[in-house]
Amino acid sequence: MGIGKMVKGMKTIVRKKTAKGGSAKAPAPGFSSIVEESAHLLVPAGSESDAFHKDVFYNPAMRLNRSLSSLALGAFIREGLLEKPAVLDGLAATGARGIRYALENETGKVVFVDANPAAIPVLKKNIAKNKLAGKAKAVGDDLNAFLCKSWEKFDFVELDPFGSPVFFLNNAIRCVSQKGILSVTATDLAKLCGKEQATCIRHYSSKPMRCPFSHELALRILIKKVVEAAAVHDVAAVPLFSFYHGHALKAFFTCERRPQEASGLLGQIAFAVLCRKCFHRGIEKFPPGKCPNCGAKTDCAGPLWAGETTRVGLSAKLIELNRKRNYADSKAIGKILEAINGENGLPPLFYDLHELSEKLSNHSPKTSEFVKKLRDAGFEAGATHYSPTGVKTNAPIGEMERLLAK
Ligand SMILES: C[S@@+](CC[C@H](N)C(=O)[O-])C[C@H]1O[C@@H](n2cnc3c(N)ncnc32)[C@H](O)[C@@H]1O
Ligand SMILES: [Zn+2]
């Protein structure tokens, strides 16, 4: 990218060489200065085109995810769920997340941890660059080792790993303060969506399923894993807000030491059942071998989280806050949030209109039109944030077929 060339919300500043061949306020060799929303960051040069072969990781494609996560933290604070939270950015890399959390929200101290020795000087520079030296520190350590040694509790623990957060869950839960929040990212979608089924079973103790709604199943498997890992510590981890976007799943949990409630949450773990013949789907405690609708053999995924993936009412607060923050991605974020808001209260497991209309009728209606049709017929229905052709409804498959044929 050329001098001063800007991508909305992320500006790369490559400073001009001075007459002596040096540069005014030049970043370290191999690094460039960028601006991502509120944060001024030193990142490896060329991260925009290739984030994966650099000494320190910075992925500009995760900007929306970081913005939506910062927005979520803002909403939790506004809702009184957190007050000046002490933040742990557990897998920090350049510190992009933790720095944005601290600059865009009223937080307490921020601790950044990364095992990569090359990340630590970058983290220190980025802390100073963003005037956070008074309340932030960078620690070079393996996150599990850091968490095991730590007697400190954090009100907001961020796990943003390469791939799966499962390797850190046990220790992370121990370090979340009472009523604190655990934030996890998972980018191991090949496992969670069923391409690498055996690995998913090993890492999540759940069977995934390849189907049009596999991303919803993936999010529910991730949530189940966190709920179960927390229950081991008598902690009730209740999902507050979660979403799928791009190549990542993100989920936030409020964590409270309440053994009975933790047991109660385990009661919301079940199986997803799909009949590939008639498209019936549903949540069952024990998956039946045969479809209750047509008698054909069913497929299943799970165990997985069958409850709400976002607390009712919270998405509306995020929508409100998004309007106030002028993020580069605010329009896209608004769309995701509106869809999540519409999903509230609707049963799990969405239908994909493309797939249904291909098999059950000749034409593919617009999602909004079909949602209206379902509502006019007296059913609850809404679009989903997982797919533009996804519909959530309480209408049975027979009614869907009838309405599609109309
Ligand atoms: C996906 S990157 C984090 C990206 C960052 N949160 C952001 O938003 O830009 C994962 C980071 O975890 C670090 N990491 C991997 N394994 C670790 C471990 N066991 N302990 C601490 N850090 C680790 C890597 O060095 C890498 O910087
Ligand atoms: Zn069937």
Side-chain angles (χ1 to χ4, degrees):
M1 197 180 284
I3 292 164
K5 192 173 173 194
M6 259 182 83
V7 175
K8 203 177 171 215
M10 187 185 125
K11 186 165 57 174
T12 304
I13 307 157
V14 181
R15 291 181 196 276
K16 276 187 178 159
K17 295 259 179 188
T18 61
K20 283 180 183 165
S23 59
K25 283 198 179 175
F31 282 83
S32 48
S33 296
I34 60 116
V35 180
E36 183 184 293
E37 302 300 351
S38 59
H40 291 71
L41 299 167
L42 202 58
V43 304
S47 292
E48 292 113 276
S49 50
D50 175 13
F52 293 90
H53 298 93
K54 307 282 179 232
D55 281 354
V56 183
F57 187 77
Y58 171 75
N59 187 0
M62 287 293 273
R63 181 185 68 192
L64 184 147
N65 189 302
R66 283 186 285 267
S67 295
L68 192 37
S69 301
S70 178
L71 202 62
L73 175 56
F76 302 150
I77 294 171
R78 278 177 142 223
E79 287 303 288
L81 294 166
L82 294 174
E83 199 188 331
K84 273 204 148 209
V87 175
L88 173 67
D89 187 352
L91 301 150
T94 63
R97 259 176 205 276
I99 287 173
R100 288 195 52 193
Y101 285 148
L103 295 175
E104 294 166 20
N105 304 287
E106 209 186 324
T107 70
K109 70 171 176 196
V110 188
V111 176
F112 298 87
V113 178
D114 204 289
N116 175 4
I120 304 308
V122 179
L123 272 169
K124 286 185 175 161
K125 284 192 180 120
N126 283 336
I127 289 171
K129 220 171 154 64
N130 290 281
K131 302 190 170 46
L132 291 169
K135 66 173 184 182
K137 71 170 177 185
V139 180
D141 205 347
D142 170 81
L143 180 61
N144 276 321
F146 172 86
L147 292 167
C148 279
K149 285 177 285 191
S150 175
W151 289 104
E152 236 177 315
K153 303 266 183 205
F154 295 88
D155 308 311
F156 188 87
V157 174
E158 174 65 44
L159 295 180
D160 183 32
F162 291 134
S164 177
V166 295
F167 315 105
F168 305 104
L169 285 179
N170 185 47
N171 292 317
I173 284 155
R174 286 178 44 248
C175 289
V176 181
S177 63
Q178 179 72 338
K179 296 198 184 178
I181 287 173
L182 175 65
S183 161
V184 303
T185 314
T187 57
D188 51 341
L189 295 187
K191 282 178 225 165
L192 284 161
C193 291
K195 204 168 158 206
E196 295 166 13
Q197 178 172 307
T199 321
C200 186
I201 293 171
R202 276 201 314 280
H203 292 180
Y204 290 88
S205 316
S206 289
K207 179 188 163 300
M209 178 163 65
R210 293 182 87 169
C211 65
F213 52 94
S214 59
H215 289 103
E216 181 180 347
L217 298 176
L219 186 59
R220 291 180 179 282
I221 288 173
L222 171 69
I223 293 176
K224 179 229 67 159
K225 184 74 183 179
V226 176
V227 168
E228 267 182 4
V232 170
H233 296 276
D234 294 334
V235 169
V238 181
L240 276 178
F241 172 59
S242 61
F243 66 91
Y244 154 67
H245 179 259
H247 302 289
L249 301 166
K250 187 93 188 121
F252 301 84
F253 302 80
T254 177
C255 296
E256 212 176 334
R257 261 150 220 89
R258 289 181 68 175
Q260 275 189 349
E261 199 181 320
S263 296
L265 292 173
L266 297 179
Q268 293 191 62
I269 292 172
F271 288 85
V273 174
L274 171 67
C275 171
R276 296 197 190 263
K277 190 172 173 213
C278 76
F279 304 106
H280 163 81
R281 67 216 50 204
I283 293 289
E284 303 284 350
K285 263 288 166 209
F286 303 101
K290 282 187 177 172
C291 171
N293 189 45
C294 75
K297 196 169 166 276
T298 52
D299 202 349
C300 78
L304 45 73
W305 175 251
E308 291 286 358
T309 52
T310 288
R311 180 178 282 185
V312 177
L314 202 60
S315 35
K317 304 288 173 193
L318 271 117
I319 291 171
E320 219 179 286
L321 192 55
N322 184 44
R323 290 200 191 109
K324 295 199 170 110
R325 293 192 180 178
N326 198 19
Y327 286 143
D329 295 309
S330 64
K331 211 169 154 195
I333 290 174
K335 265 179 109 174
I336 295 170
L337 290 172
E338 291 290 350
I340 291 176
N341 201 39
E343 286 171 30
N344 265 181
L346 291 173
L349 315 182
F350 69 88
Y351 292 88
D352 182 71
L353 283 184
H354 265 336
E355 196 204 18
L356 286 191
S357 45
E358 220 172 71
K359 310 263 169 67
L360 301 177
S361 79
N362 301 326
H363 79 291
S364 181
K366 268 186 154 179
T367 307
S368 55
E369 282 167 13
F370 195 64
V371 165
K372 186 173 177 308
K373 249 187 191 178
L374 283 162
R375 287 182 183 160
D376 289 348
F379 297 105
E380 289 173 17
T384 78
H385 82 286
Y386 298 101
S387 157
T389 52
V391 170
K392 283 204 168 196
T393 180
N394 61 352
I397 188 66
E399 285 297 323
M400 299 276 285
E401 193 170 354
R402 191 180 65 78
L403 290 169
L404 268 171
K406 261 189 176 180

